[in-house]
């Protein structure tokens, strides 16, 4: 979703802004713009379409001179993608420029007020009201920009991260945030603001995380932060240790493929340090053994693929803990009046740690008295900071919109959590505990074996890439896996695809099966393999072409009933099998999208981090 970069220092700002915006492209956007102050005053360039269009317009940044500026990639909400609706937005005098992520919910009311004051609007955006309103108070406050911004903040409803530049105070930038991510990068004689650390990693690794309601004033010499009453506050400087090349393609054609291939290492990094003397060990775990024993109910709350991790997690955790685990979409949880009290544990899963619905669900859970444990990839993200306990997935930066390594590491952490709780609750026999732990430790090398089958998967993709509709079927964890396989395929290849619990086929979906329909049958769970065979036979009888995913020992059975292709995963504990099974599904989606010529890393209409409702 929208991206923000700001720069103040001694370099030419425009190339730095373009570079930062390029690193935010992965978040999804439809237009881009920059505003830079220099010897020509405040110059603005904006363009609909890819960042390259903007870059060409300003000759890679060389056409605009100046050492302070703000940039933005926009993902349209209010007003269609267009040059004029792109950010930065200017105040009426053209002396104040604003970039904004989030949504100003009361913009209509503010706009009516400003129009009453004679302000004319250029765009259809909610953001433009902010630029005009700052100018309105700036005049009233006799040219004190910071206090004008502060007065505006007290009138805005909704979510926002803002970067503000004024031609009257051209040696500074102002940053503010509420419910939308914004960090400050601290350099030597230069400072940055950004919605995402990857935008500034090339320039500095020292960052400050702004909290809701806080403001910052950045000059080349330093950063000063203020609370919502404009009282100066001290903020901690945090060091980001992500490698810069982790956010580069490193010779791969697509980030998605690179990230698929990185999964063994990512899981190793996530799992190994948490196993000591044959036991799962979490450092500084904020739940006591008593908290765990008193836990009466558990929710897993997330969006998108993270929710699908929760679906697998439900099967796995209930199996290990014999406690009810409910999985809820974060967008539903916040409005469903959930049954939550102090004995409830709410596990929140989020790669970015910034998904707005997930964040809102977290706050609702806390309001109701629950303890919140989050599984998050991005250090210092909002969800991580507001949780009682955080377990990080050490997957490194994930750039491709379609998640792969974040999904896998989230799943591994959830399995570790299951083992950790099971030991305290005494719900798993020792051999079972060790078998799961052992399978988790072997997971990276087994994923490497699955990745070796990529040519076969590519071949299967070449046989089926032109299908227009696909069904994924499976039972138990294989059903949960199907949900993710189906999402992967549809989000990057634009093929209509759905996942069904196999037992539901006869309740409607089977009427859609006709000659040539592609069905992907997931049958890794040995206990239910015979049921899977029956479902394959059922759909084959009605003319479906079937691709099957199963374990090596069942390959011949699947071939025997006429599957057009069989992909296998090595034998593992059933709890860990979905972590293996997801890999061929990611590869299949990737190759299908490749053959269809899709924009794999940046699928249409999608955003990596959904920071609006
Ligand atoms: C977007 C991404 C998905 C992700 C979902 C939830 O839709 O494209 O890959 O699963 O958001 O994001 P989160 O960062 O909360 O895991």
């Amino acid at each position: 979703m929208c991206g923000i970069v700001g720069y103040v220092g001694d370099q030419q700002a425009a190339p730095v802004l373009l570079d930062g915006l390029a690193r935010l492209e992965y978040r999804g956007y439809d237009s881009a713009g920059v505003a830079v102050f220099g010897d020509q005053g405040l110059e603005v360039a904006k363009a609909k379409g890819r960042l390259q269009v903007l870059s060409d317009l300003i000759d890679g940044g060389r056409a605009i001179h100046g050492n302070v500026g703000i940039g933005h990639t926009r993902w349209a909400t209010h007003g269609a993608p267009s040059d004029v609706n792109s950010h930065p937005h200017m105040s009426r005098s053209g002396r104040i420029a604003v970039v904004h992520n989030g949504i100003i919910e009361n913009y209509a009311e503010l706009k009516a007020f400003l129009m009453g004051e004679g302000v004319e609007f250029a765009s259809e955006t909610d953001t433009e009201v902010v630029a005009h309103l700052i100018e309105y108070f700036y005049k009233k406050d006799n040219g004190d920009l910071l206090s004008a911004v502060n007065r505006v903040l007290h009138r805005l409803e909704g979510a926002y991260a803002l970067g503000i530049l004024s031609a009257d105070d051209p040696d500074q930038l102002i940053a503010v945030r509420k419910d939308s991510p914004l960090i400050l990068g601290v350099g030597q004689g230069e400072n940055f603001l950004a919605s995402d650390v990857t935008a500034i990693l090339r320039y500095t690794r020292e960052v400050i995380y702004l909290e809701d309601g806080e403001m910052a004033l950045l000059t080349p010499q330093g950063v000063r932060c203020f609370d919502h009453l404009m009282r100066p506050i001290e903020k901690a400087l945090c060091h980001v240790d992500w490698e810069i090349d982790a956010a580069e393609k490193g010779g791969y054609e697509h980030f998605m493929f690179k990230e698929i291939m990185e999964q063994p290492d990512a899981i190793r990094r996530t799992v190994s340090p948490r196993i000591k003397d044959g036991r799962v060990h979490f450092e500084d775990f904020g739940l006591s053994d008593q908290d765990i024993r008193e836990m009466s109910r558990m929710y897993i709350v997330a969006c998108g693929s993270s929710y699908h991790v929760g679906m697998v997690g439900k099967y796995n955790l209930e199996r290990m803990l014999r406690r009810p685990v409910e999985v809820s979409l974060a967008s539903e949880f916040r409005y469903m009046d959930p049954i939550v009290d102090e004995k409830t544990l709410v596990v929140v899963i989020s790669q970015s740690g910034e998904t707005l619905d997930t964040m809102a669900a977290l706050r609702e859970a806390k309001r109701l008295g629950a303890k919140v444990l989050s599984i998050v990839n991005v250090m210092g993200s909002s969800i991580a900071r507001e949780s009682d306990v955080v377990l990080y997935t050490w997957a490194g930066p994930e750039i491709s919109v379609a998640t792969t390594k974040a999904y896998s590491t989230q799943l591994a952490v959830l399995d570790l959590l299951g083992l950790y709780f099971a030991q305290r609750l005494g719900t798993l026999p020792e051999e079972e505990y060790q078998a799961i732990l052992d399978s988790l430790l072997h997971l990276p090398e087994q994923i490497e074996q699955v990745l070796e089958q990529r040519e076969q998967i590519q071949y299967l993709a070449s046989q089926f890439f032109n299908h227009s509709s696909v069904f994924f079927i499976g039972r138990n964890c294989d059903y949960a896996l199907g949900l993710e396989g189906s999402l992967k395929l549809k989000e990057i290849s634009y093929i209509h695809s759905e996942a069904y619990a196999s037992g539901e086929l006869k309740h409607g979906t089977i009427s859609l099966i006709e000659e040539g329909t592609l069905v992907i049958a997931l049958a890794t769970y040995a206990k239910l393999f015979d049921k899977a065979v029956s479902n394959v036979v059922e759909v084959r009888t009605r003319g479906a072409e079937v691709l099957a995913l199963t374990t090596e020992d069942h390959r011949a059975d699947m071939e025997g009933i006429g599957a057009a292709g069989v992909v296998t995963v090595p034998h593992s504990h059933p709890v860990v099998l979905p972590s293996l099974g997801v890999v061929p599904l990611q590869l299949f989606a990737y190759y299908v999208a490749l053959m269809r010529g899709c924009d794999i890393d940046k699928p249409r209409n999608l955003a990596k981090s959904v920071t609006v409702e």
Side-chain angles (χ1 to χ4, degrees):
M1 218 140 253
C2 308
I4 289 180
V5 192
Y7 176 79
V8 55
D10 56 8
Q11 300 188 53
Q12 284 299 317
V16 176
L17 297 175
L18 287 175
D19 177 66
L21 292 177
R23 281 156 218 284
L24 297 180
E25 275 192 292
Y26 78 97
R27 294 171 63 99
Y29 70 104
D30 43 52
S31 53
V34 293
V36 171
F37 183 86
D39 40 19
Q40 304 293 315
L42 192 52
E43 289 186 81
V44 184
K46 320 201 277 190
K48 179 183 164 190
R50 288 290 183 216
L51 189 59
Q52 193 58 46
V53 182
L54 173 69
S55 179
D56 291 346
L57 190 69
I58 56 173
D59 188 21
R62 286 173 289 274
I64 298 188
H65 298 272
N67 307 112
V68 55
I70 48 179
H72 191 263
T73 44
R74 174 174 187 252
W75 191 87
T77 55
H78 293 60
S82 69
D83 292 355
V84 75
N85 285 335
S86 315
H87 301 209
H89 287 285
M90 310 301 291
S91 64
R92 186 157 56 152
S93 69
R95 300 192 67 75
I96 295 173
V98 172
V99 289
H100 165 222
N101 286 0
I103 291 179
I104 306 299
E105 284 168 2
N106 60 335
Y107 85 101
E109 180 196 327
L110 296 171
K111 187 169 179 174
F113 164 74
L114 287 161
M115 286 172 81
E117 295 290 314
V119 175
E120 282 170 25
F121 279 74
S123 76
E124 302 154 85
T125 65
D126 52 336
T127 304
E128 199 184 335
V129 297
V130 181
H132 294 306
L133 212 51
I134 293 174
E135 184 160 279
Y136 175 82
F137 285 115
Y138 183 74
K139 286 184 182 153
K140 287 196 152 201
D141 285 346
N142 299 322
D144 184 340
L145 188 62
L146 196 65
S147 78
V149 171
N150 184 261
R151 288 177 71 169
V152 170
L153 301 188
H154 287 102
R155 283 155 179 87
L156 298 182
E157 286 167 20
Y160 48 82
L162 298 168
I164 300 153
L165 170 61
S166 164
D168 295 312
D169 301 88
D171 55 347
Q172 65 179 43
L173 289 177
I174 292 180
V176 293
R177 72 155 276 175
K178 181 182 158 272
D179 293 337
S180 194
L182 197 66
I183 57 149
L184 312 176
V186 179
Q188 301 288 331
E190 56 181 5
N191 292 300
F192 304 80
L193 59 92
S195 50
D196 183 329
V197 72
T198 47
I200 56 169
L201 215 48
R202 256 187 82 187
Y203 307 98
T204 180
R205 284 155 178 282
E206 309 309 316
V207 303
I208 291 172
Y209 295 104
L210 277 188
E211 300 289 340
D212 280 349
E214 291 178 352
M215 313 167 62
L217 197 132
L218 295 85
T219 61
Q221 293 75 34
V223 171
R224 284 156 59 207
C225 297
F226 304 89
D227 69 6
H228 67 290
L229 297 174
M230 285 185 59
R231 292 175 300 204
I233 43 173
E234 285 299 317
K235 299 286 294 178
L237 203 58
C238 304
H239 182 77
V240 179
D241 59 6
W242 277 358
E243 292 304 323
I244 297 168
D245 62 3
E248 310 276 346
K249 275 193 207 153
Y252 288 99
E253 199 181 338
H254 297 102
F255 278 112
M256 182 179 180
F257 190 67
K258 173 178 179 251
E259 289 160 4
I260 290 173
M261 300 301 283
E262 282 173 352
Q263 289 179 108
D265 279 344
I267 291 175
R268 252 180 225 117
R269 271 201 307 275
T270 301
V271 172
S272 317
R274 285 160 168 154
I275 297 181
K276 296 211 169 90
D277 306 323
R279 296 278 156 210
V280 175
H281 172 84
F282 294 129
E283 213 123 293
D284 302 324
F285 195 65
L287 293 179
S288 67
D289 289 0
Q290 191 182 343
D291 288 336
I292 296 166
R293 279 193 296 272
E294 285 178 355
M295 180 175 80
S296 61
R297 173 194 285 267
M298 213 167 141
Y299 274 101
I300 303 179
V301 181
C303 299
S305 293
S306 298
Y307 167 76
H308 294 157
V309 170
M311 289 292 288
V312 178
K314 174 185 168 67
Y315 290 108
N316 283 350
L317 293 177
E318 288 190 340
R319 176 186 184 128
M320 290 193 256
L321 308 180
R322 308 311 302 151
R323 290 275 192 294
V325 178
E326 288 197 37
V327 195
S328 174
L329 289 164
S331 52
E332 290 294 315
F333 183 88
R334 58 187 294 198
Y335 297 123
M336 76 185 191
D337 196 6
I339 304 168
V340 168
D341 59 21
E342 345 26 274
K343 296 214 165 115
T344 310
L345 177 68
V346 175
V347 176
V348 161
I349 308 179
S350 176
Q351 186 284 126
S352 60
E354 300 293 352
T355 302
L356 188 117
D357 281 324
T358 312
M359 185 69 203
L362 177 156
R363 287 181 177 162
E364 175 66 359
K366 287 189 83 170
R367 193 184 67 79
L368 294 168
K371 285 243 168 10
V372 175
L373 179 154
S374 64
I375 299 176
V376 175
N377 194 38
V378 179
M379 294 269 297
S381 55
S382 307
I383 288 175
R385 281 178 293 134
E386 293 200 20
S387 303
D388 299 301
V389 185
V390 188
L391 294 176
Y392 282 107
T393 49
W394 293 315
E398 190 178 65
I399 306 296
S400 167
V401 166
T403 177
T404 52
K405 63 177 179 173
Y407 175 98
S408 298
T409 50
Q410 288 167 349
L411 202 46
V413 169
L414 213 46
D415 291 343
L416 289 171
L417 186 68
L419 288 173
Y420 186 87
F421 283 174
Q423 190 191 338
R424 275 136 193 96
L425 297 171
T427 46
L428 263 187
E430 182 59 19
E431 323 82 78
E432 182 84 349
Y433 182 100
Q434 286 305 331
I436 297 173
L437 194 66
D438 217 48
S439 294
L440 271 173
L441 282 170
H442 283 100
L443 182 58
E445 72 212 47
Q446 289 193 316
I447 290 183
E448 274 156 13
Q449 289 169 33
V450 177
L451 290 170
E452 277 163 23
Q453 296 179 60
R454 57 186 182 274
E455 276 183 24
Q456 189 212 345
I457 296 167
Q458 186 170 18
Y459 170 75
L460 291 173
S462 75
Q463 302 298 296
F464 294 99
F465 77 93
N466 54 4
H467 278 244
S468 55
S469 184
V470 179
F471 295 97
F472 287 73
I473 57 170
R475 289 170 191 262
N476 198 276
C477 273
D478 282 323
Y479 163 53
L481 192 57
L483 291 170
E484 177 59 9
S486 169
L487 177 62
K488 269 313 65 106
L489 185 66
K490 78 176 76 150
E491 68 182 334
I492 60 169
S493 74
Y494 315 142
I495 295 176
H496 169 251
S497 129
E498 292 184 50
Y500 280 94
S502 307
E504 281 295 291
L505 271 177
K506 292 195 201 62
H507 298 291
T509 319
I510 203 158
S511 67
L512 295 171
I513 306 290
E514 53 187 20
E515 205 57 45
T517 306
L518 178 59
V519 174
I520 300 189
L522 308 178
T524 64
Y525 188 29
K527 203 168 151 193
L528 296 176
F529 183 74
D530 292 345
K531 307 258 180 220
V533 167
S534 307
N535 291 126
V536 169
V537 172
E538 269 163 22
V539 296
R540 288 275 305 124
T541 311
R542 286 157 182 88
E545 294 198 72
V546 173
L547 290 180
L549 176 73
T550 186
T551 43
E552 191 49 45
D553 43 340
H554 285 127
R555 173 187 286 280
D557 299 296
M558 275 298 175
E559 283 168 351
I561 53 171
V566 182
V567 175
T568 60
V569 291
H571 182 73
S572 182
H573 191 283
V575 162
V576 178
L577 271 173
S579 299
L580 289 168
V582 74
V583 178
L585 305 183
Q586 297 165 344
L587 285 168
F588 183 73
Y590 173 78
Y591 286 123
V592 167
L594 191 66
M595 284 159 202
R596 292 168 73 93
C598 298
D599 190 352
I600 294 182
D601 286 334
K602 297 189 281 280
R604 69 183 179 210
N605 304 336
L606 296 184
K608 180 71 182 159
S609 175
V610 179
T611 48
V612 294
E613 191 171 352

